[in-house]
Amino acid sequence: MSDFCSLYDMKLSDLGEFGLIRRIQGIASRKSSSVLVGIGDDAAALRLSASQILLVTTDALLEGVHFDLTYTDFYSLGWKSAAVNLSDIAAMGGVPRFCLIALGIPARISAEQVTEFYRGFNALLRAHKTILVGGDTCSSRKGLFISVTVLGETNPRRVVTRAGARPGDRIFVTGTLGDSAAGLEILKSGGTLHSREHSLTLGAGRGQGARAGKLIQKHLLPVPRIQEGRKLALSGCASAMIDLSDGLSSDLSRICEQSKVGAKIYVGQIPLSPPLRKASARLKKTPLHYALSGGEDYELLFTVPPARVRKLRVLGIPFTEIGEITRARRMLLLDSSGDRTPMQPSGYNHFPPTSRP
Ligand code: ADP
Ligand code: MG
């Protein structure tokens, strides 16, 4: 009871998003031998039997917070609503199986737009043999509200959490970082992508348009790394894993926090795509800014003990080594001249600190 009172006494911005989740965890979570992984990871891992683990994850997308209908088409919105949830199953090394979706729909949205949303949603589910089995439909007085829950499975000895990184483990990411955040900025400044045809109508030259198209596509139509997450888990290579939803600096800090370790990142090794490098100059920010602080890449960030790095190299997944886990519990950026800069988590926070009166 007193916990609830102090929760209401405090501003959410004083607690921050993760402080609030920790508070909720303190009030409501219970230890049980069936709960292998509870609050604090990409998905909960629940023991159904000696050989079966159920993975469950839920993520909401709110109009005006996560998306803006002036630059997101409904097909892409449906696709992305599925992708962000499947990505959390990938980060646990699991296989997605079933899903549920709850919608709060304002009166201004048409039946055709909802249908288009489900075409995009189902296209990604079909690609991963995941079946929609239920949900809920309500009207909304204000924005469009989407909440998706995905159920997946894995076996007990193959669950990869955020807590398994050890000093000396190497740090890797799949794909390239920062593309989605740069794509979002291009969208905000008037770029568009017609997702069905993947054609671009950006008021720019052809080369510039194609580059922006790759970044916009990464933002609107992210592809969850299901096969890669599965291979990393089944091979036993990954000691810890998370999907990059909030940006490298924030998501790495979650692995460090849960594993009680620190990390050093070699700045020059962070994989940056050619379209990002070229677009950054126009957007007047460095590619590194997008890679460290930009969210929604939905790539996998994972750690591998040195003895398993050789095995990792034959898995056939696109990865780059970017750093090493350290015993000292802080995050450092190392540049090519050996200079070290502390790295602070700088991704999206739903309740950022406000200046106090
Ligand atoms: P992700 O970015 O991977 O979706 P989040 O940062 O959203 O993960 O959530 C971190 C953990 O906190 C997850 O285990 C999630 O289920 C849990 N969580 C988030 N919000 C709440 C809430 N309101 N009540 C209970 N658990 C929550
Ligand atoms: Mg996640």
Side-chain angles (χ1 to χ4, degrees):
M1 187 65 191
S2 63
D3 267 336
F4 269 108
C5 293
S6 48
L7 217 171
Y8 286 122
D9 289 341
M10 262 179 127
K11 282 192 203 152
L12 289 177
S13 55
D14 291 336
L15 269 177
E17 181 187 343
F18 296 99
L20 178 63
I21 294 173
R22 268 196 294 273
R23 187 66 81 90
I24 294 168
Q25 196 171 6
I27 297 167
S29 79
R30 278 197 293 148
K31 285 220 180 320
S32 155
S33 57
S34 306
V35 181
L36 215 65
V37 180
I39 293 176
D41 221 295
D42 292 289
L46 313 172
R47 197 187 296 278
L48 292 182
S49 69
S51 60
Q52 266 189 313
I53 295 291
L54 173 69
L55 298 171
V56 193
T57 179
T58 191
D59 257 321
L61 288 89
L62 275 71
E63 185 178 355
V65 177
H66 298 94
F67 62 90
D68 185 326
L69 290 174
T70 56
Y71 53 72
T72 305
D73 63 281
F74 279 83
Y75 182 95
S76 301
L77 186 58
W79 173 287
K80 188 162 177 176
S81 302
V84 304
N85 280 277
L86 292 189
S87 178
D88 278 325
I89 298 290
M92 302 299 289
V95 181
R97 296 292 310 278
F98 306 105
C99 108
L100 295 113
I101 177 163
L103 294 178
I105 310 172
R108 68 186 141 82
I109 306 281
S110 71
E112 184 47 37
Q113 287 172 321
V114 177
T115 307
E116 193 61 9
F117 173 93
Y118 274 94
R119 286 198 185 105
F121 189 76
N122 200 45
L124 189 66
L125 289 196
R126 222 180 18 239
H128 292 285
K129 299 189 174 65
T130 303
I131 307 167
L132 178 64
V133 292
D136 196 18
T137 309
C138 318
S139 63
S140 165
R141 298 242 178 108
K142 265 192 137 183
L144 176 58
F145 171 87
I146 303 156
S147 174
V148 177
T149 300
V150 174
L151 312 176
E153 69 176 331
T154 189
N155 35 335
R157 294 194 312 119
R158 296 300 177 213
V159 178
V160 188
T161 70
R162 297 175 181 179
R166 297 292 170 260
D169 285 2
R170 308 289 190 255
I171 305 172
F172 296 85
V173 288
T174 57
T176 55
L177 306 189
D179 295 343
S180 172
L184 174 62
E185 277 195 29
I186 294 167
L187 283 167
K188 282 181 174 169
S189 64
T192 60
L193 177 76
H194 293 307
S195 63
R196 299 295 293 278
E197 302 89 16
H198 287 188
S199 70
L200 185 78
T201 56
L202 189 75
R206 275 191 72 165
Q208 234 176 41
R211 282 198 295 274
K214 292 218 171 78
L215 302 175
I216 292 174
Q217 186 166 339
K218 186 86 191 241
H219 182 75
L220 292 180
L221 299 160
V223 177
R225 296 279 192 182
I226 299 286
Q227 275 84 18
E228 292 83 351
R230 194 73 188 136
K231 282 185 184 176
L232 288 165
L234 289 182
S235 64
C237 285
S239 50
M241 186 148 62
I242 187 170
D243 67 323
L244 287 168
S245 54
D246 294 339
L248 178 62
S249 61
S250 288
D251 292 318
L252 178 62
S253 77
R254 272 163 218 147
I255 286 193
C256 289
E257 194 177 312
Q258 297 281 334
S259 300
K260 301 185 173 56
V261 293
K264 54 184 179 191
I265 295 293
Y266 308 116
V267 176
Q269 283 173 223
I270 295 176
L272 305 169
S273 71
L276 175 67
R277 288 177 192 277
K278 291 190 179 112
S280 294
R282 243 179 342 122
L283 295 167
K284 299 194 173 58
K285 285 198 183 119
T286 63
L288 199 61
H289 164 83
Y290 292 108
L292 294 177
S293 312
E296 302 198 289
D297 280 317
Y298 298 106
E299 295 293 346
L300 295 174
L301 169 67
F302 57 97
T303 58
V304 179
R308 294 191 217 142
V309 170
R310 261 178 56 172
K311 195 170 179 187
L312 169 71
R313 300 205 185 280
V314 296
L315 289 184
I317 63 173
F319 62 80
T320 309
E321 184 171 342
I322 59 165
E324 193 176 318
I325 294 293
T326 59
R327 197 170 301 278
R329 292 184 67 176
R330 57 184 180 175
M331 298 194 302
L332 289 175
L333 280 173
L334 269 67
D335 66 21
S336 53
S337 57
D339 282 348
R340 298 156 169 249
T341 325
M343 179 165 63
Q344 303 298 339
S346 58
Y348 192 79
N349 178 355
H350 280 274
F351 307 110
T354 47
S355 48
R356 311 190 77 177

